[in-house]
Amino acid sequence: MPTNFTVVPVQDAEGGGKPASLDQVFSDGDKDDNSDGSQSGGREWAGDDTQRESRPFILDSDVDVYNGKNMALFEEEMDSTPMVSSLLNKLANYTNLTQGVREHEEAEDGFRRIAVTVPPMGTFIGVYLPCMQNILGVILFLRLTWIVGTAGILGSFAIVSMCCICTLLTAISMSAIATNGVVPAGGSYYMISRSLGPEFGGAVGLCFYLGTTFAGSLYILGTIEILLTYIVPNATLFDAESREGEVTAAQNTVRVYGTCCLLLMALIVFVGVKYVNKLALVFLACVMLSIMATYAGVIKTLIEPPEFNVCLLGNRSLTNDKFEVCAKTETENNQTVTTELWGLFCSSRHLNATCDDYFTLNNVSEIRAVPGLLSGVIKDNLWGDYGPAGMVIEKKSQGSVEAEDTSGDLDKPYVFNNMATYFTLLVGIYFPSVTGIMAGSNRSGNLRDAQRSIPFGTIMAILTTSFFYISCVLLFGACIEGVVLRDKFGDSVKKNLVIGILAWPSPWVIVIGSFFSCCGAGLQSLTGAPRLLQAIARDGIIPFLQIFGHGKANGEPTWALLLTVAICEIGILIASLDDVAPILSMFFLMCYLFVNLACAVQTLLRTPNWRPRFKFYHWSLSFLGMSLCLSLMFICSWYYALVAMVIAGCIYKYIEFRGAETEWGDGLRGLSLNAARYALIRLEESPPHTKNWRPQLLVLCKLDSQLSVKHPRLLSFTTQLKAGKGLTIVCSVLHGTYMTRAAHAKTAEQNLKAVMAAERTKGFSHVVVSSNLRDGFSLLIQSAGLGGMKHNAVLMAWPAGWKQARDSSSRRNFIETVRETTEAHQALLVAKNIDHFPGNQDRLEGGRIDVWWIVHDGGLLMLLPFLITQHKPARLLAVLKVWKKCQMRIFTVAQMDDNSIQMKKDLQMFLYHLRLDAEVEVVEMHDSDISAFTYEKTLVMEQRSQMLKQMQLSRTEREREAQLIHDRNTASHSTKEDKASVGTPDRVHMTWTKDKLVHERNKHREAMGVKDIFNMRPEWENLNQSNVRRMHTAVKLNEVVLKNSKDSQLVLLNMPGPPRSRKGDENYMEFLEVLMEGLDRVLLVRGGGREVITIYS
């Protein structure tokens, strides 16, 4: 819809300002949202709606021109926030009419209209009448009389009431959603998707599209049924040789005519939608005229009933299209002769011919088809008359004599049930007659006041049509004979439409009116369904539908129309209105169910943005409507309901799997937040039981200079360990201040998320900036997580280059991390050679996972191998697991006083109770003398520690030394500076360099190389005996591990704790290096001080 803007010159306080041009004010807005239909075919449309919806206000441009000086205090905010006057001006000139019917008409005319040619519509024209036209349709004219006759007045009243209440409750929910802000074209799809998210929106949007498409099939089948049954019954294309073949021949005829009608309607829609719009009032007039003729006919029955009679044989209804006289014989020229009816039941027209037993035993009678409103026939029509297919329609209140042989009844001119009838079937067939309540919300862009018109017009239309349907149920049951009501195609009244024989002045009023009504409804379905599919495709939430977002140069959805015609043809090939009706009932009921769900969720969450202008709603009404929709789905057809749910579920999982990139602030996210808050509060009430314990990991990642993850395999191992279960927090620390490195932190976090996505690690990422890396990691260990959802284990890589590092920060950070996790009662997992670990796509063909259980730390060592063997790759075709073929072995160490045989039995029994499959080995480590190699390793370690202590001058100290030398060689100093320098020592210790360190080490080794090994004992005796014992344990244990597990795929070791005194920190790293020496993949495990595995169920 074109929008006229007026540019008003605004001058500043000094009078020197120039008026801002329209291009300047809305330059960015024009780039983002080009509403010109003639250019829509070539622009990038996929992200336009998403960008517009992500802004807090409508048409909020990125740049706001500000020339005034009386708001200088806020001039810094003007770059990101608009002035209120500018915002209100844009709101006043906003139009939410997307590329719809009027734009297509203007593009087809070849020019753009400068002014709005059609004024906005009010409630009556814009909402009430379209809803009436969509609700009143084919079922009213073709099936309602049959439903009343089959289910009875009471059963029909129940069916109509359930369906009308369902749509009324849905309309109330829809009104609340539609008045909670601006609803662009898209109707229910827009409301559901923006309320429940892209997954639900895409699934229900496609269901609504399929329902609208099958509605087109329903209307076309209704059109063909009226044409072939009541207008030109002789236009059949196929002949049947038997009565059984008549059904097949009739269905084939319907398929041919239905396909031709579909192609003709598709051509009309393709040529120009404006022709459909111009005929809309004609079709609506046909509907209203038919209803008025029906009420007029009811009133006329009070004066004179219509001249339509029904012929009964006994109590059985007969088809009277093959005979004129309802009698066995008649008198002609004072002679008794047989009638045409006699010839239908007897072998010949002679009086002595052999006749059907039932024909012989019962008399022929004729009753009025429409006795009238005061005839009392309402008593006979109160209750239903269900029956199987092929059952003869009978007047139960009239007596008859039953014949013994009924085998030949199917060949006689009786009126039969063409299908088995039962209550739930009638519900499914009737429900499409109450659909169409979304017509008003689909036209929200054309309404003068949509937030007032949609609720009032929709609810009034539902109440009006509900009155029509309920009154028709009562009037049909009170005026028309029951055998005629149950006659679906009017065979007993000379192939007349049953509702037509009640109408006044002629049945042709109903026939012609219903014919054009079905044509118009079919055209509207073929017009609306492609645009709905185009809206879904343009949202970009279902990638394989994106081609259907394109169309002609004027935006006409050509590809979507082709798909709609193809799906509609499927419904026509079914060739039965009664079989197609339950299908579209499923899709519409699912759509209405989610409309009610959206309103209920938004109401219960009480989100700040939920402020509908329509106040007459409640979550209980929405919940009742949702329950009624679900019940009606299974009442109509449980297998169709399951199929519809499977289709919606598959679409939902597909959108979830592909990852919808759109964010609409849906209600389910708010529901998730509330559920998460409730769960976190519950989790914090008590610590988790041992049965529920699983590693909740805090993964400490290192980043390189490019802010990329240094060890991606650390996340691969995380995925294998977690298998998508529990909490995973991947974090890192940047050195600096947040003010200067905020952008780097965001980039690093994005890199973390990218690697997590590539490695399929499900969890959260977090990057903090700290002036000290040690403080940053300490902060993460202390505060990561929320409430009861906190990590209980820390995973990190072994600092492989700690020996080659120029400073000791790497070593200190690692040791402090060990101490802090111990203090926080958190488990610690340290992976050595993490880059050698298998990726998620690797498959280890055998091998062993060895667990060296030295001390009991809660059972985490035994639980970890079980967890990694449970990992299943997130690929559809992947069957194997990374570690699945690896066998688990558990080694434990026996001392001199231990009974190794009994230890092995006890350990096997313990593993049996733990339900773990593993081999058990007991390794004996007897006391032995400390070897010279151990002393040598200890000596080298302590000498290296001494050199490191001498090199521990920080960067600030080195800078201070350089400054002091510079100051001493400078003559110009103040007196205060000279006094301050008096206390400085004359000799300055310079920092050790790498070359000097290597030179001193080689010099020392050359001096000692000539000594005999026994001459070194005095130096050994000066060693710290505690260090010697620790080194001895590390060397001996390493020898045993290498002997048994050198070729294992993974080795898990108990991680010894750091010394309580910080004096031995330098030696602690050496002990761990010796312990892991010669092993490829090692996982050091330190428990958190609690049991994590139990033998109890």
Side-chain angles (χ1 to χ4, degrees), residues 787-800:
M789 200 64 175
K790 294 181 68 69
H791 63 278
N792 54 25
V794 177
L795 174 63
M796 62 186 300
W798 171 258

Side-chain angles (χ1 to χ4, degrees), residues 207-224:
C207 287
F208 188 51
Y209 163 74
L210 292 175
T212 308
T213 304
F214 277 103
S217 302
L218 181 78
Y219 294 130
I220 292 175
L221 289 174
T223 302
I224 301 305

